[in-house]
Amino acid sequence: MIEYKNGIHIKDTGLWLDARRKTDFCFVSHAHADHAVKHAQILATKETARLFEHRYGEAKFKLLEYNRPKRLNGVKVELFPSGHTLGGAQILIEKAGTRIVYTGDFRLRKSLTAQKAQVKKCDILIMESTFGRPHYKFPPSSQVHAQMAEFAQENLTKGKVPVFLAYSLGKAQETMKILSNRGFKLSVHGAIYNLARIYEEFGVRFKNYEHYEAGNLEGKVLIAPPSVRKSSMIERIPRKRIAVLTGWALDKGARYFNGVDEAIPLSDHADFAELLEYVKKAQPKKVYTVHGFAEFVEFLREKGFDAEQLKRSTRIESALSKEVQTNYDLFA
Ligand SMILES: [Zn+2]
């Protein structure tokens, strides 16, 4: 029913899911860089289409709204929220009486800027498992948000510039929401600013923020993508204190690895418990994993699920190892 060739293909339908090479017709779950392929036609939500075209240029889309099933290529398909980014979607495909769900990247915890994830019962579940090891247990959101606010306030009080590094699509807008809701004045990197304006087109509003300008950071919190950590933009800021926002903050050495003063576990992915919770709720007969740690399937088998890795990836020892740098979403 399913095959993996640099992307998931639902046999006999011509429908691909987040394929990494160009196809005729592909579902793109969200507009992160690892999904940025211009297929002949892309199946996506309107939010993802807008964000995708902003980042990667014009493309041809077939738009679907959440929870509006439709027949396409001989199967019934339905998109529903993944909780990962604004417009981020999972897909349910019904083919010859079999229900197949592909999650894309997801999180079950509530996001301040993305629609809340749903879980649907299915026969075959194809899921991400980025944080598929038991020690990835994220603290409650309220605690993470408080830690972010504390880092900002403490450094502002000392006359320093708090800098948060957050992936520009999704994580950065959530960071803006968390900090501006708590009254902080924000200066945001251009890439993040432009994406925030698109979020606002879809009704997600932010307070107290402006486009970053060099030398104008007095009393403000700066939000920038991790990719600019070593750039002159960051290097030139005097009296800065930098925090990276990533689920990998739970690993020892995360601060050192990122060259920052603090690592705070704000993630837009599910942690280990959420991955298991998802599978228990979906009650699939078969689970395939596509990202993350190989041994997550072992944990699922222990719980009685028939699980297998769809995409072979190297078994890795440390979240900070070379394999992570190349195979995994570093800023998850
Ligand atoms: Zn993603």
Side-chain angles (χ1 to χ4, degrees), residues 98-112:
T98 301
R99 288 163 65 89
I100 305 165
V101 163
Y102 166 67
T103 63
D105 292 347
F106 77 93
R107 100 180 109 178
L108 297 180
R109 299 181 317 286
K110 193 169 166 279
S111 158
L112 295 183

Side-chain angles (χ1 to χ4, degrees), residues 7 57 76 79 105 133-134 141 173 197 215 229:
K76 194 164 115 186
L79 305 190
D105 292 347
R133 279 180 172 174
S141 300
Q173 286 70 39
R197 299 306 295 250
R229 167 66 192 90

Side-chain angles (χ1 to χ4, degrees), residues 30 32 84 105:
H30 63 292
H32 277 158
H84 181 63
D105 292 347

Side-chain angles (χ1 to χ4, degrees), residues 30 32 34-35 84-85 105 268-269 329:
H30 63 292
H32 277 158
D34 49 341
H35 305 264
H84 181 63
T85 58
D105 292 347
D268 41 19
H269 285 259
D329 184 354

Side-chain angles (χ1 to χ4, degrees), residues 57-254:
E58 232 171 85
K60 194 171 169 231
F61 286 93
K62 169 88 194 162
L63 300 180
L64 263 193
E65 282 177 43
Y66 290 141
N67 303 124
R68 294 274 179 87
K70 192 165 177 94
R71 279 202 84 76
L72 289 173
N73 293 27
V75 288
K76 194 164 115 186
V77 302
E78 180 180 349
L79 305 190
F80 57 105
S82 63
H84 181 63
T85 58
L86 180 73
Q90 312 179 60
I91 186 169
L92 167 66
I93 300 152
E94 289 191 54
K95 186 182 178 228
T98 301
R99 288 163 65 89
I100 305 165
V101 163
Y102 166 67
T103 63
D105 292 347
F106 77 93
R107 100 180 109 178
L108 297 180
R109 299 181 317 286
K110 193 169 166 279
S111 158
L112 295 183
T113 48
Q115 300 88 344
K116 183 155 177 36
Q118 299 170 1
V119 180
K120 292 192 184 289
K121 288 202 170 64
C122 58
D123 302 295
I124 299 175
L125 174 64
I126 310 164
M127 70 187 303
E128 67 123 327
S129 59
T130 305
F131 291 108
R133 279 180 172 174
H135 79 280
Y136 292 111
K137 185 181 187 316
F138 300 141
S141 300
S142 57
Q143 195 178 316
V144 175
H145 299 178
Q147 198 184 343
M148 292 165 63
E150 201 178 303
F151 180 86
Q153 191 53 57
E154 208 179 284
N155 287 301
L156 285 171
T157 307
K158 288 180 188 160
K160 293 186 175 166
V161 178
V163 180
F164 287 93
L165 300 180
Y167 189 88
S168 57
L169 169 59
K171 186 92 63 88
Q173 286 70 39
E174 190 167 17
T175 302
M176 288 173 67
K177 194 86 173 167
I178 293 164
L179 293 173
S180 67
N181 278 357
R182 287 170 181 250
F184 292 101
K185 290 197 182 95
L186 309 177
S187 173
V188 303
H189 178 276
I192 295 170
Y193 180 91
N194 292 334
L195 288 164
R197 299 306 295 250
I198 296 176
Y199 269 56
E200 291 191 320
E201 287 173 19
F202 291 103
V204 181
R205 306 250 167 242
F206 308 94
K207 292 179 272 190
N208 285 326
Y209 74 103
E210 61 186 32
H211 196 294
Y212 167 74
E213 268 176 56
N216 184 20
L217 287 170
E218 185 73 35
K220 291 171 198 158
V221 174
L222 175 64
I223 304 173
S227 55
V228 304
R229 167 66 192 90
K230 298 287 177 199
S231 70
S232 58
M233 168 191 165
I234 300 289
E235 292 297 340
R236 277 190 206 139
I237 299 169
R239 305 186 318 279
K240 60 185 172 291
R241 294 279 292 169
I242 305 176
V244 68
L245 301 172
T246 171
W248 303 113
L250 297 181
D251 280 310
K252 283 198 192 87

Side-chain angles (χ1 to χ4, degrees), residues 2-4 7-9 102 126 287-291 297 308-313:
I2 291 161
E3 58 189 349
Y4 190 89
I8 303 148
H9 181 229
Y102 166 67
I126 310 164
V287 183
Y288 294 103
T289 62
V290 276
H291 289 291
V297 297
E308 199 178 315
Q309 230 195 340
L310 192 58
K311 181 189 161 194
R312 292 259 162 255
S313 73

